Amino acid sequence: MFADYSWGELLSIFAMQGFAGLILFSVFVLMALGLAIIFGQMGVINMAHGEFMILGAYVTYLVSRLFESYAPALFGIYFFIAMALAFVVAGALGMLVEWALIRRLYKRPLDTLLATWGLSLILQQLFRTVFGAREVGVTIPQWMMGSLPLTDTIEVPINGLFVMALAMGISAAIYVLMFRSRWGLQVRAVVANRTMADAVGINTERTDRLTFGIGCGVAGVAGAAFTMIGSTGPTSGQLYIVDTFLVVVFGGAGSLIGTIASAFSISQAQSILEFFLSGSMAKVLTLLAVVGILMVRPQGLFALKLRK
Amino acid sequence: MTEKTPKAPFTGPSRRAFLAASAGLSASLFLPKGLRAQDFPTAAVNTTGLAVTDSDVTVGILHSVTGTMAISETGSVQAEKLAIEQINAQGGVLGRKIKFVQEDGASDWPTFAEKARKLLVDDKVASVMGCWTSASRKAVLPVFEQYNGMLYYPTFYEGLEESPNVIYTGQEATQQIIAGIDWVTQNKGAKTFYLLGSDYIWPRTSNKIARKHIEKLGLEVVGEEYYPLGHTQFNSVINKMKLKKPDVIYAIVVGGSNVAFYKQLKAAGIDMTKEKPLLLTISVTEDEIRGIGGENIDGAYACMKYFQSLDNPNNIEFVKAFKAAYGEDMVIGDVTQAAYLGPWLWKAAVEKAGSFDIDKIKEASPGIELTTAPEGYVKVHENHHLWSKTRVGHAQADGQYKVVFETADLVEPDPFPEGYQ
């Protein structure tokens, strides 16, 4: 399979595929971070994660339409406002859902799967009623289109770079929040031992609500970022949910580092395989490899050590 | 049949309202003598126990209005309802008003089969307009053959099928593909092709025919690739295309994946307006462009039989009526137009047969002509597909196609092309 290409071509293939893999990696990180926070820290299987992403995407769509109609001069920066708004809206809905639904189910983690699945169906129908069944797309600001040529054969798409920067920024923010802030300490204490955390005066209810809200908010931002790549329809969230769970489970539920490591290995494997085999075959082989590794190491790549 | 075809069947909103209001009172005055219900006693035109009374006839509409296919099938439902409404405004079929029962296939093939059975057995509908994916059609086909129903199927599809119980109002693979490839080779001097598609039956079969035809012309396929439905990361294949430098990217990506593909193509610096490489697709209609964004697909070429921008009196009336019924910002794609033909073709067949009997309709269908179709003149072939023109559209930044080529004659449908299987 290498024989068809010259050395120079192979070099640029690996450079470009490595880059494509990095973009895919960023996408996976964006998709999985919110879920990893909720699933990992709270043990809640949030089947509606995809719909929270789509909510962020629809918010972005609305903001882009508003800017197009009322402030075309500022169109270049609408995206940042849309992302912030997507975080707020998805986060607020997340907190509402936690308050109305999830907090009653903490002792029955499997039931959260059913409850959030129902929620995802409700949200899908809501999107369909409000925005219609057809997919919508947003216009990307001019500066985000096109690519930077590094050499004759190696070019880097600008929106890919943007998604990468975003993924890094959000990962860093989550890291600081989790491991360098008082709130993060509380979350980790609640995860380690809920009863004890309660006893030493941590407001576990508030911690749970905030955690869920932030997880959903991050999903919203991911959705906003995806409008640059794909389109938005009521059921688009379903496309992402399987990949997202795959990344989180493979990385080891509960470990943010594991999520990032697993996103990296899956995306690089897929991107390199895609070049030399067909697209569908790459997906199949990646899945097989993940299943194989999970059979040997059911806890995933990285596992939290918890006292149960 | 032509002599019975009304001169202006596609009417604007005000005219339609007027006709609808006055139809009951005076339809029989306007219509040819042979079309009054009393001239066709129910006992004579309905010998097989269908849902036909002295005043009305019931048909079925079977599409997905929920689930992932709802996005595509919504337009078909709208077009079929519009056609039924217009036929009723003109006095109906054999003097009977069309009523419809709508069922939801819910993007689920077993559900399609179940609902088809319900429509044929319980509702005894006189015909069904419906289905979109090949999978749903394959699921309902045995039902229609077992209970002897009539299906009007609107989507362009891969061919390799012919059923007496189905009228295929979209194009089959050869009508779309071969004309398109001939056009790029003759007019754009294309020598090398890169084939790309979603991974299921329609793109794979279409690309097989495309590859055979390209090789028959002595030209070269430099790459062929499939991605799962819903895939959104095309960076790798775009990189490959950049290395292989094909003259033509031949893309049959379907659904939401299209949006990802065209956005990433543009982001990767491939400018389709320069036509180097040129992009030719048979899967992107005006509907998909709404999601993709006109600026992202500007300069691509699409090969199909209908574009909303077609400049003929039938189409201008049709677009006007469609927008009046469903909103100014509606767009009409190839399949929507094909769906619109269903009720009209059925009406023509019933009137030619002088009966609602399915067997008589099957027999009467070949040879039926429609001079009033938005796409222009069409005719039903012996194999139950339509003779139709093939056109090449050039995508514009405003989301519409400009027609740059159309075949001089109608292209004969050939669902089992010899040497291409």
Side-chain angles (χ1 to χ4, degrees), chain A residues 30 50 52-58 60 79 86 217-228 232 240:
Chain A
L30 282 179
F52 279 101
M53 294 194 330
I54 298 311
L55 180 64
Y58 274 125
T60 311
F79 208 80
V218 170
V221 175
F226 289 156
T227 56
M228 293 189 303
T232 310
Y240 300 113

Side-chain angles (χ1 to χ4, degrees), chain A residues 17 133-134 146 227 274-275 280, chain B residues 71 199 236 240 260 263 267 287:
Chain A
Q17 285 312 105
R134 284 167 196 254
T227 56
E274 249 174 28
F275 198 88
S280 295
Chain B
I71 293 160
D199 203 355
S236 298
K240 271 197 226 184
K263 279 191 174 170
D287 279 321

Side-chain angles (χ1 to χ4, degrees), chain B residues 185-207:
Chain B
T185 48
Q186 282 158 21
N187 294 279
K188 301 286 175 180
K191 300 262 184 293
T192 53
F193 294 77
Y194 201 110
L195 312 182
L196 172 71
S198 293
D199 203 355
Y200 74 106
I201 177 169
W202 179 64
R204 279 197 181 260
T205 318
S206 306
N207 276 350

Side-chain angles (χ1 to χ4, degrees), chain A residues 85-117:
Chain A
L85 215 62
F87 181 82
V88 172
V89 172
L93 183 70
M95 280 160 79
L96 183 74
V97 165
E98 201 276 344
W99 172 76
L101 191 69
I102 309 289
R103 72 186 169 123
R104 293 156 214 277
L105 299 171
Y106 283 128
K107 297 212 171 68
R108 300 182 290 168
L110 269 183
D111 292 353
T112 58
L113 184 132
L114 275 180
T116 51
W117 186 53

